[in-house]
Amino acid sequence: MKSDLFEADHELFGETVRGFVERHVVPKMEKWDSDRLIDRETWLAAGEQGLLGLSVPEEYGGPGETDYRFRVVIQSEIARVGASALQSGFSTNDDIVLNYLLRHADSDQRRRWLPGFVTGETIGAIAMTEPAAGSDLRSIQTTAVPDGDGWVINGSKTFITSGILADLVIVFAVTDRGAGSRGFSLFVVEDGTPGFSRGRKLDKVGLHAQDTAELFFDNVRVPAANVLGELGGGFGYLMQSLPLERLGIGVAAQVSAEAVMDWTLGYVRERRAFGKHIGEFQAVGFTLADLQTSVEVSRAYIDRCVREFNAGTLTAVDAAKAKLSATELQGRVIDAGVQLHGGYGYMMEYPVAKAYIDARIQRIYGGTNEIMKEIIHRDLLRS
């Protein structure tokens, strides 16, 4: 069953994205993996093609396109070639960092920061996780203390996506330890600010081309103009933005699963063993039938979540379900894909092998899948 999510405009946009991927992504993927970094020229090329900052209002240089289906198109086309690291970088910029700015930045901050998200000149990061505080964000130790007409930030963050290249970082910090959930605020730290430094580029299992870093804040002084939103609103802002982040992860998992199914079907139709194509064996056929059914059923739920997000009605619980179910399915599909490719599935020149190591993080970041289950569980008890 084919998805009915897209209309003619989305299909036309998909042709533009496909052309960009063929020209600027496929030829560079091996180099990105060896460099463990995606070059800035690719970001600028994406900006020129109109692929970044879709939701930025026209007055700040963007198209003002709030239909999330266009973001799904971008993710789908990138997934077709297995460029998961690029997808992760683009999603961090558009679904996370830009989402915070659009929700909470004042007019001056919008003028300063939004145009670069459209052109590809600005790469953003969000710094929440710390060495001793992952899913439990209330345990963070990074502090921001008032100092004259500004704030002084001290602390460290880790596992920060785009941490090496980031031009601006949204930092989640404690501003009042005794205020409970109202004791956290968001600050924008810009590249070059004294005391702000980047640690090592972390050596990850997968997503090698996606730069992930440690960040350090040693008496980093930021002006009051770099406070994002209201003081004390940080924790609430995180809760508001998590549905889109988790929807983005769910969409990425879905389109990855679909791509791996296509690669695997192509392989089993061509590969022969014992005198016939391996796809003709019943054991293989039953596995593929089960997975394809699951992929199509999952797509229906993801499509519904995208429509709900467009309508402004996607709940945090439904986004958690999307993230949980799609990433678990992605893991099953990729594991089966590796198995059905046989020894070649373990060779890195085959995209299914790269997908295998790239996808494992999907069940961890954006809130572990155990946290997703807890969110869903609590909602069930309230019903």
Side-chain angles (χ1 to χ4, degrees):
M1 183 180 293
K2 186 177 180 182
S3 170
D4 64 352
L5 184 64
F6 304 118
E7 299 174 12
D9 286 350
H10 305 105
E11 301 290 351
L12 189 61
F13 182 65
E15 295 177 10
T16 299
V17 182
R18 203 168 302 125
F20 166 79
V21 169
E22 290 172 357
R23 293 190 304 273
H24 299 284
V25 178
V26 174
K28 295 181 176 181
M29 287 172 61
E30 287 187 17
K31 187 174 190 309
W32 290 344
D33 280 345
S34 62
D35 291 347
R36 306 227 162 191
L37 201 71
I38 295 169
D39 59 89
R40 282 186 173 270
E41 288 75 18
T42 300
W43 286 83
L44 295 173
E48 289 177 3
Q49 290 291 306
L51 308 187
L52 301 177
L54 300 184
S55 54
V56 172
E58 292 182 12
E59 61 187 298
Y60 303 110
E65 181 54 74
T66 57
D67 181 353
Y68 192 72
R69 289 178 292 178
F70 288 100
R71 282 282 302 121
V72 177
V73 170
I74 293 172
Q75 296 209 56
S76 299
E77 294 301 329
I78 292 175
R80 289 183 199 277
V81 299
S84 301
L86 182 67
Q87 178 275 322
S88 176
F90 282 3
S91 289
T92 297
N93 245 38
D94 275 23
D95 293 345
I96 303 177
V97 180
L98 183 55
N99 183 41
Y100 279 91
L101 296 178
L102 289 172
R103 280 176 172 270
H104 309 299
D106 60 32
S107 57
D108 289 337
Q109 291 172 332
R110 286 177 170 231
R111 279 194 292 271
R112 289 167 60 192
W113 296 322
L114 294 188
F117 281 82
V118 179
T119 62
E121 295 172 284
T122 301
I123 299 174
I126 184 156
M128 294 189 290
T129 303
E130 298 184 0
S135 296
D136 182 13
L137 291 173
R138 295 176 190 269
S139 298
I140 68 161
Q141 299 300 308
T142 298
T143 59
V145 177
D147 180 54
D149 60 350
W151 293 79
V152 175
I153 302 173
N154 280 284
S156 64
K157 302 289 184 177
T158 193
F159 308 144
I160 307 306
T161 300
S162 298
I164 296 296
L165 288 177
D167 302 289
L168 65 81
V169 180
I170 297 175
V171 180
F172 184 61
V174 178
T175 46
D176 186 348
R177 186 67 72 181
S181 62
R182 293 290 300 174
F184 304 91
S185 302
L186 300 179
F187 300 85
V188 176
V189 176
E190 297 172 89
D191 184 31
T193 302
F196 168 47
S197 62
R198 307 160 205 262
R200 61 197 175 101
K201 190 190 305 180
L202 298 174
D203 187 13
K204 306 188 300 297
V205 170
L207 291 180
H208 292 154
Q210 172 52 259
D211 66 292
T212 305
E214 301 168 316
L215 303 181
F216 300 100
F217 306 89
D218 183 11
N219 291 320
V220 173
R221 193 177 192 283
V222 297
N226 281 36
V227 176
L228 187 61
E230 295 182 1
L231 284 174
F235 196 82
Y237 295 158
L238 262 60
M239 296 303 102
Q240 294 170 24
S241 294
L242 282 173
L244 178 55
E245 179 180 355
R246 288 166 180 165
L247 174 61
I249 295 171
V251 169
Q254 179 67 36
V255 296
S256 170
E258 292 171 357
V260 173
M261 280 298 299
D262 286 345
W263 303 337
T264 303
L265 285 169
Y267 184 81
V268 301
R269 287 171 181 150
E270 297 296 326
R271 179 72 173 178
R272 297 182 67 86
F274 303 103
K276 59 182 178 179
H277 295 115
I278 62 175
E280 297 178 61
F281 288 98
Q282 188 179 75
V284 173
F286 279 12
T287 296
L288 293 171
D290 176 59
L291 291 175
Q292 184 63 27
T293 301
S294 297
V295 166
E296 292 186 15
V297 170
S298 175
R299 182 64 191 232
Y301 187 77
I302 291 292
D303 286 356
R304 173 67 182 273
C305 286
V306 170
R307 290 190 171 101
E308 294 286 340
F309 177 77
N310 276 351
T313 54
L314 180 67
T315 68
V317 175
D318 286 341
K321 292 173 184 174
K323 196 264 186 186
L324 170 65
S325 61
T327 57
E328 294 289 343
L329 174 64
Q330 179 188 21
R332 284 203 296 126
V333 170
I334 294 175
D335 188 71
V338 169
Q339 190 72 20
L340 294 178
H341 276 74
Y344 292 106
Y346 208 62
M347 300 295 108
M348 288 304 294
E349 63 260 34
Y350 277 74
V352 70
K354 189 169 184 296
Y356 186 74
I357 60 172
D358 285 348
R360 187 59 185 86
I361 189 62
Q362 290 271 92
R363 285 173 273 169
I364 298 173
Y365 62 13
T368 66
N369 280 8
E370 288 73 23
I371 294 295
M372 299 304 100
K373 292 176 183 178
E374 185 63 24
I375 291 169
I376 299 164
H377 167 223
R378 290 178 182 179
D379 182 69
L380 289 173
L381 295 182
R382 283 195 295 267
S383 299

